[in-house]
Amino acid sequence: MQATQTTDKPLTQVKSQKDLHKEVDASGAWSVAQIEALFALPFSDLMFKAQETHRTNFPDGDVELATLLSIKTGGCPEDCGYCPQAARYDTDVKASKLMDLDEVLEAAKAAKAAGSNRFCMGAAWREPKDRDIEKVTAMIKGVKALGLETCATLGMLEASQAQALQEAGLDFYNHNLDTSEDFYRSVISTRGYQDRLDTISNVRAAGMSVCCGGIVGMGESREQRAAFLARLANLSPYPESVPINHLVPVAGTPLAEQKPLDPLEFVRTIAVARITMPRARVRLSAGRQELGRAVQAMCFQAGANSIFYGEQLLTTGNPEAEQDRELLAELGLKTKQSCKAEVLV
């Protein structure tokens, strides 16, 4: 996919301080240079700093378990280079219609029985139609009645749609930035960076919490990873949930042959996310299966405290629930018991 010039609002850069290890400037913003300096710390120093931050803000040290269900799979008109759900790519994903309410509620009951706190519903739309919102709000109300936190990712939202979801009881809306602004057009051309920021603004204005992160290992540089984290950390407020996905190359997509990111660089990314967004739930998301147990353990040490839990994400495999429970037990990590949403505003 060819990179094209973006006309989106440029990433605001703040001048770096003489001491690049100083966390934030007087305005409270993170500069890209400061975040690059965190990435460049000796690994043990970075991990120590991340653990200090984590223990200060999450003294219980618990891990949130979230289950993600694809309520409408495939057939998406966009061209995200990593996504097997794009209709234009020849992958094994078959398009399906929106699931029935009863099917969704049965899946939510199973997720709760397995120990999940949050139930996330994802639909492969560029943006939902109002009639779609009506159906999803019924799902939200049903899942809320089970006592679970609710999250949805449905594509771009108008302000009125965000308000309708909030009134139905939606706790979180997920809309990822994916990567840095200057790398974005190398991966996606059918939706602008500002479109993503506008949806996040609509979600905030409606009174919902934000789940927003991205994907690393798509060929971006460390500086671009730093710029991506700077954009997230400088949102006001930063997201309550920050899912960090490790690219899973899928045959038929433009990124099918992308070389994997060094595992220690992924751990560094988790640590920097923890330091720059200290009160957020930093979530290990797609690609966890490929990382293996040892790298996941380092990610928990680096401050990750949320995982997608269960056998399947939207279209990629995930470590089975029993394996997750065994790993958490072996590491001495307890799981979050409350299903009450944690908010920053």
Side-chain angles (χ1 to χ4, degrees), residues 228-309:
F228 156 63
L229 291 176
R231 177 65 94 170
L232 287 175
N234 290 336
L235 292 173
S236 183
Y238 54 76
E240 283 85 353
S241 292
V242 181
I244 304 294
N245 298 271
H246 186 285
L247 176 69
V248 179
V250 178
T253 65
L255 292 177
E257 302 302 321
Q258 180 62 45
K259 294 181 179 179
L261 185 69
D262 183 282
L264 293 183
E265 185 72 8
F266 184 80
V267 177
R268 285 181 180 274
T269 304
I270 296 296
V272 173
R274 167 53 62 219
I275 294 165
T276 56
M277 292 169 279
R279 294 172 55 204
R281 288 278 176 178
V282 177
R283 178 179 300 138
L284 298 181
S285 300
R288 221 166 34 91
Q289 191 171 40
E290 287 74 15
L291 291 173
R293 286 164 50 89
V295 176
Q296 289 183 66
M298 284 193 287
C299 288
F300 289 124
Q301 286 187 314
N305 60 350
S306 178
I307 59 172
F308 271 132
Y309 176 72

Side-chain angles (χ1 to χ4, degrees), residues 9-247:
K9 183 179 178 181
L11 177 66
T12 300
Q13 303 271 344
V14 296
K15 294 181 179 180
S16 59
Q17 306 294 323
K18 291 181 180 179
D19 178 7
L20 292 182
H21 290 230
K22 180 180 178 183
E23 280 79 1
V24 292
D25 73 355
S27 70
W30 284 91
S31 73
V32 175
Q34 288 159 352
I35 293 180
E36 282 190 281
L38 289 175
F39 269 104
L41 286 171
F43 189 77
S44 59
D45 292 350
L46 177 61
M47 293 289 279
F48 181 76
K49 190 174 186 65
Q51 280 221 348
E52 279 191 318
T53 304
H54 188 203
R55 292 182 183 212
T56 298
N57 290 277
F58 291 92
D60 291 340
D62 58 358
V63 177
E64 177 191 68
L65 304 180
T67 294
L68 176 59
L69 175 69
S70 180
I71 60 174
K72 192 277 176 189
T73 304
C76 182
E78 302 217 60
D79 69 349
C80 305
Y82 52 80
C83 186
Q85 300 202 69
R88 67 190 69 205
Y89 303 141
D90 184 15
T91 68
D92 291 335
V93 175
K94 304 300 180 185
S96 64
K97 296 181 180 179
L98 186 67
M99 291 175 66
D100 292 333
L101 174 61
D102 289 344
E103 292 180 280
V104 174
L105 295 183
E106 284 303 311
K109 291 175 185 176
K112 184 177 182 181
S116 286
N117 312 103
R118 186 183 303 179
F119 190 73
C120 308
M121 293 163 277
W125 291 316
R126 173 178 165 79
E127 66 271 307
K129 297 179 174 61
D130 287 343
R131 65 173 181 269
D132 300 321
I133 294 290
E134 292 177 8
K135 294 177 181 178
V136 174
T137 55
M139 297 175 186
I140 293 166
K141 292 175 181 177
V143 174
K144 286 286 286 185
L146 298 174
L148 287 164
E149 289 179 19
T150 53
C151 180
T153 178
L154 315 171
M156 295 183 291
L157 289 183
E158 299 293 337
S160 60
Q161 294 175 324
Q163 189 62 43
L165 294 174
Q166 188 276 334
E167 291 173 359
L170 189 65
D171 296 303
F172 290 81
Y173 192 80
N174 166 261
H175 200 66
N176 289 338
L177 293 182
D178 281 353
T179 188
S180 66
E181 185 172 13
D182 66 337
F183 187 69
Y184 182 85
R185 288 296 184 183
S186 299
V187 182
I188 303 162
S189 68
T190 51
R191 183 191 311 189
Y193 210 73
Q194 189 61 46
D195 292 328
R196 294 180 180 269
L197 294 170
D198 289 346
T199 289
I200 293 168
S201 294
N202 288 338
V203 169
R204 279 292 185 208
M208 288 182 286
S209 293
V210 169
C211 177
C212 183
I215 306 170
V216 297
M218 296 191 292
E220 76 284 353
S221 66
R222 175 180 279 186
E223 181 181 6
Q224 288 165 328
R225 278 191 292 281
F228 156 63
L229 291 176
R231 177 65 94 170
L232 287 175
N234 290 336
L235 292 173
S236 183
Y238 54 76
E240 283 85 353
S241 292
V242 181
I244 304 294
N245 298 271
H246 186 285
L247 176 69

